[in-house]
């Protein structure tokens, strides 16, 4: 698929499905909820951020949901 933040094609493997109606509070409007419907979750590593387009650095901050976890912590 085309990754707009990196401006190139990337290969992805589906490893799970997000639970129905998963949400988190909006960073700037805590009374608003951001739903993950039709979302694709990708790991954002240091290398990903360094290779990303400048628009990612500006626009993605409100869409990120940081989690201190790795694949071993995610249930199948």
């Amino acid at each position: 698929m085309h990754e707009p933040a990196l401006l190139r094609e990337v290969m992805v493997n589906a490893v799970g499905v997000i639970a129905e109606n998963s949400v988190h509070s909006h960073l700037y409007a805590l009374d608003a909820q951001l739903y993950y419907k039709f979302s694709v979750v990708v790991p954002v590593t240091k290398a990903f951020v360094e290779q990303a387009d400048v628009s990612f650095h500006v626009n993605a901050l409100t869409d990120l949901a940081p989690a201190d976890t790795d694949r071993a912590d995610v249930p199948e």
Side-chain angles (χ1 to χ4, degrees):
M1 72 178 213
H2 181 74
E3 174 52 65
L6 299 177
L7 300 176
R8 63 182 171 89
E9 296 296 314
V10 295
M11 177 69 74
V12 297
N13 291 326
V15 295
V17 178
I18 299 172
E20 186 175 2
N21 295 324
S22 294
V23 299
H24 78 272
S25 294
H26 191 278
L27 182 64
Y28 298 110
L30 297 177
D31 60 337
Q33 299 289 313
L34 295 174
Y35 286 82
Y36 292 115
K37 294 179 181 175
F38 307 108
S39 296
V40 175
V41 178
V42 296
V44 179
T45 61
K46 182 178 179 181
F48 182 94
V49 173
E50 289 172 350
Q51 295 174 12
D53 184 71
V54 69
S55 63
F56 172 83
H57 295 266
V58 174
N59 297 321
L61 295 177
T62 59
D63 293 332
L64 292 177
D68 185 19
T69 188
D70 58 23
R71 185 176 177 142
D73 296 333
V74 178
E76 290 293 324

